[in-house]
Amino acid sequence: MQLVLHEWLGGLVVGLVGGSWSDAACPTCNPAGPILEVPDSSAGLRRRKRDWVIPPISLSENLRGVFPKEISKIKSSLSKEIRMVYSITGEGADQPPVGLFTVNRNNGSLYVTKPLDREAKDNYVLQVHAVSPDDYGVKEAPMEIIVNVIDQNDNKPIFTQNPFLGSVPEASAKDFEFMTVTATDADDPNTANADIRYSIISQSPQQPNPSLFDINPVTGGIRVKSGGLDRENYPEYTLLIQAADLEGNGLVTTGTAVITVTDSNDNAPQFEKTSVLTSTATVIVNVQDVNEAPVFDPVEKIISKPEDLAVETELIVYTATDPDTEKTQTVTYRVGADPAGWLSVDRETGLIRVRSPMDRESPFMKDGKYKALILAVDDDPVPATGTGTLVIVLEDVNDNAPVIEERSIRVCNKESTPVLLSVTDKDGPGFADPYTVELQGDSRRDWTARMDETKTGIILTLKTALKPGEYNIILRVYDASKLFQDNVIQATVCDCTGEYENCPFIITQHMNNYFCLKV
Ligand SMILES: *[C@@H]1O[C@H](CO)[C@@H](O)[C@H](O)[C@H]1NC(C)=O
């Protein structure tokens, strides 16, 4: 079968991979230019296993205009000789959502019938079938086509609560982070469409100065920016906060953070009158209890846990006791700062649980450790807050397969110079190098791949004089614990000898036309 893809509204990046070259005309430079064909599976009695790969079709969500829209054309190479009819099965074809994709039975044009919504479903796997309606028994093996739905920025950030409530002791040092605000965005987390930045729009009251706080644009952590907190005069602040996607330049949402300033012992006793005559008297001093903040035991608690714990797993009970023995006070717990949003704490018991999956390879980890602040608040009419630091040492789990850094390479097709590819793995020792590599499918026929001496680099060599053009090479890379993933490298093969610098021109495909490019 032959698959001809076209560019769609600037959003579809196409190419056909793993086909062989035949001698049709290339208009500008090469009388024997490329037509991509794929071997017939029905030729002969034995059915051949397909060993070629069709790159996924990428379609933008929320497409506008007239539907159905043609997204590609499928053609059986048998159709040159006999009439073939086409059908599709799979999700979006004969399985829900039924009829989202259709195919013209007679000529293989593939259509999408309405706009797609990535947040509802981000990819579809279709099987394409071609059979002869007249000559019973002639058919192609089904071909798989994957349609990936490309994100658009059609969701704005949403704050996870509104207002956010926090408290800060009035004697806090500059840069003390005491609360975190969080917004989520339903768009593709791998794109800027869901990359949120936080900012403070305004502070009320503006006394003693209008910028007492600042916010970490990435984590949403709110910190003390300058001195001047004074519970006796300004016991509460309201911040108007903003979350914007596209790294702060996209869709915007606003919310509020209400901050209670808690008491610290910052007022020294003052005599109301002074008097330059002296005498001696006995003074009895009655010490009155004042409200003190609960104290965590210990103030910094270090625990060690595997990184792949399930959500809701209990981590530890971390509690504080209240020094105010005169009054019976109830202490309740809150998460103060939790940069990655991984934790929840039971208000009454101080039991800390996993709220969202933790990851040792997260940017919020420092030296293999994650730090969160837990707050204990008593129920005095003027509540006092104690802060404890929970340090979680995350133990590595092999949750990342090795990745090849290079996405594309360029080589000559004769006596080609070997290419060195570098491999990385986010996991730590034991779950990363030494790596091993295996070529997959068709790539095995034309290329050789082996690890270099350090076992962190792949030496890739073209061994067949391939026709010039673009090829996909599939390399399966294993880490030390045999976790693997397939990496696809795009190779531009040029008609030249030795170093790629010797390449006079390359042939490239754009909207079904072939062009020669000077290198
Ligand atoms: C198939 O037929 C439809 C309807 O007549 C037409 O719009 C489309 O362009 C045709 N596709 C091909 C590949 O000829």
Side-chain angles (χ1 to χ4, degrees):
M1 249 188 279
Q2 183 182 19
L3 180 72
V4 185
L5 299 161
H6 35 174
E7 188 164 74
W8 189 253
L9 298 182
L12 177 55
V13 183
V14 298
L16 215 168
V17 191
S20 55
W21 296 69
S22 71
D23 292 336
C26 171
T28 42
C29 58
N30 188 348
I35 284 284
L36 294 160
E37 295 229 5
V38 174
D40 301 336
S41 59
S42 58
L45 288 172
R46 248 172 302 133
R47 188 147 281 228
R48 280 185 26 178
K49 187 166 170 287
R50 284 186 182 249
D51 52 2
W52 40 276
V53 175
I54 302 296
I57 297 177
S58 300
L59 269 186
S60 181
E61 64 172 331
N62 309 325
L63 281 179
R64 293 180 212 193
V66 182
F67 286 89
K69 272 184 195 297
E70 190 182 56
I71 57 172
S72 87
K73 300 181 208 292
I74 300 145
K75 198 174 203 172
S76 165
S77 25
L78 297 170
S79 68
K80 280 178 254 168
E81 287 106 38
I82 52 175
R83 192 160 85 88
M84 296 295 279
V85 296
Y86 303 89
S87 60
I88 52 174
T89 56
E91 317 158 284
D94 65 336
Q95 289 164 36
V98 174
L100 183 58
F101 297 97
T102 57
V103 67
N104 182 310
R105 178 180 147 83
N106 296 315
N107 67 18
S109 278
L110 183 65
Y111 299 93
V112 62
T113 58
K114 57 182 187 193
L116 302 173
D117 178 9
R118 192 203 66 89
E119 286 72 36
K121 186 161 168 54
D122 65 2
N123 77 77
Y124 296 87
V125 179
L126 302 173
Q127 305 288 332
V128 180
H129 311 267
V131 300
S132 157
D134 310 317
D135 187 357
Y136 177 74
V138 176
K139 62 179 181 187
E140 296 261 20
M143 179 174 78
E144 186 176 271
I145 298 184
I146 297 171
V147 178
N148 285 332
V149 186
I150 302 301
D151 193 33
Q152 285 199 327
N153 193 16
D154 55 354
N155 288 282
K156 68 177 187 177
I158 295 172
F159 277 113
T160 56
Q161 66 186 77
N162 201 14
F164 289 89
L165 302 177
S167 62
V168 59
E170 59 180 322
S172 298
K174 188 172 167 311
D175 290 336
F176 174 65
E177 186 175 303
F178 56 92
M179 69 184 287
T180 304
V181 299
T182 313
T184 55
D185 191 306
D187 286 316
D188 186 348
N190 297 317
T191 67
N193 295 341
D195 198 354
I196 296 173
R197 294 293 181 275
Y198 301 93
S199 55
I200 296 174
I201 299 172
S202 65
Q203 165 195 314
S204 164
Q206 304 224 321
Q207 281 76 32
N209 74 62
S211 59
L212 285 168
F213 306 100
D214 68 6
I215 191 163
N216 183 317
V218 178
T219 65
I222 299 180
R223 298 180 302 179
V224 176
K225 183 179 178 186
S226 66
L229 287 174
D230 178 5
R231 189 198 65 84
E232 286 71 19
N233 286 309
Y234 306 104
E236 187 178 285
Y237 288 93
T238 300
L239 301 181
L240 186 60
I241 50 176
Q242 165 180 306
D245 62 20
L246 285 183
E247 296 170 337
N249 302 311
L251 303 173
V252 168
T253 195
T254 56
T256 52
V258 177
I259 298 165
T260 307
V261 182
T262 59
D263 201 12
S264 305
N265 187 12
D266 58 351
N267 290 302
Q270 306 262 319
F271 287 104
E272 289 193 350
K273 279 183 194 164
T274 51
S275 114
V276 199
L277 296 174
T278 60
S279 70
T280 308
T282 303
V283 177
I284 297 166
V285 179
N286 291 314
V287 180
Q288 281 192 340
D289 192 24
V290 294
N291 186 28
E292 287 167 87
V295 179
F296 276 93
D297 179 30
V299 175
E300 180 174 278
K301 176 95 193 159
I302 303 177
I303 58 173
S304 183
K305 295 285 170 185
E307 60 174 318
D308 64 345
L309 288 182
V311 170
E312 288 299 316
T313 303
E314 299 181 358
L315 291 175
I316 193 170
V317 177
Y318 187 27
T319 55
T321 47
D322 199 307
D324 294 312
T325 47
E326 185 82 350
K327 339 178 180 186
T328 31
Q329 292 189 324
T330 310
V331 175
T332 55
Y333 299 92
R334 280 186 228 159
V335 176
D338 176 21
W342 288 341
L343 305 176
S344 68
V345 60
D346 186 286
R347 226 180 113 74
E348 264 110 56
T349 63
L351 171 63
I352 296 171
R353 285 196 173 89
V354 178
R355 192 182 90 173
S356 64
M358 306 189 287
D359 180 16
R360 197 192 67 97
E361 291 77 29
S362 154
F364 296 107
M365 296 290 295
K366 291 248 162 59
D367 305 322
K369 294 185 187 122
Y370 181 73
K371 261 189 198 182
L373 298 181
I374 308 297
L375 306 180
V377 188
D378 67 25
D379 61 349
D380 200 74
V382 182
T385 303
T387 305
T389 305
L390 180 66
V391 178
I392 307 176
V393 179
L394 284 184
E395 297 154 14
D396 200 11
V397 166
N398 196 6
D399 55 353
N400 292 282
V403 174
I404 298 178
E405 296 287 298
E406 291 80 3
R407 301 275 96 207
S408 62
I409 59 164
R410 312 202 287 187
V411 293
C412 284
N413 62 354
K414 291 187 280 293
E415 294 165 37
S416 75
T417 315
V419 181
L420 183 66
L421 304 171
S422 21
V423 182
T424 56
D425 189 317
K426 287 195 210 154
D427 293 315
F431 303 133
D433 63 291
Y435 307 113
T436 45
V437 64
E438 264 174 14
L439 285 158
Q440 298 298 306
D442 236 12
S443 311
R444 252 193 303 246
R445 191 187 58 204
D446 301 324
W447 305 81
T448 59
R450 62 186 172 87
M451 298 309 301
D452 69 0
E453 271 168 23
T454 68
K455 303 282 185 255
T456 59
I458 296 170
I459 299 170
L460 181 67
T461 315
L462 175 62
K463 64 174 180 189
T464 320
L466 286 179
K467 285 275 171 82
E470 309 267 316
Y471 297 84
N472 275 6
I473 310 167
I474 305 171
L475 290 151
R476 180 167 296 180
V477 189
Y478 299 82
D479 66 21
S481 305
K482 294 290 168 251
L483 182 69
F484 68 88
Q485 97 184 342
D486 288 348
N487 291 258
V488 181
I489 308 289
Q490 195 181 53
T492 303
V493 174
C494 174
D495 191 7
C496 57
T497 302
E499 300 277 345
Y500 185 79
E501 280 68 52
N502 304 329
C503 176
F505 58 78
I506 55 169
I507 300 166
T508 152
Q509 185 191 6
H510 181 69
M511 296 187 76
N512 300 343
N513 294 317
Y514 296 97
F515 297 94
C516 300
L517 291 185
K518 273 277 171 217
V519 179

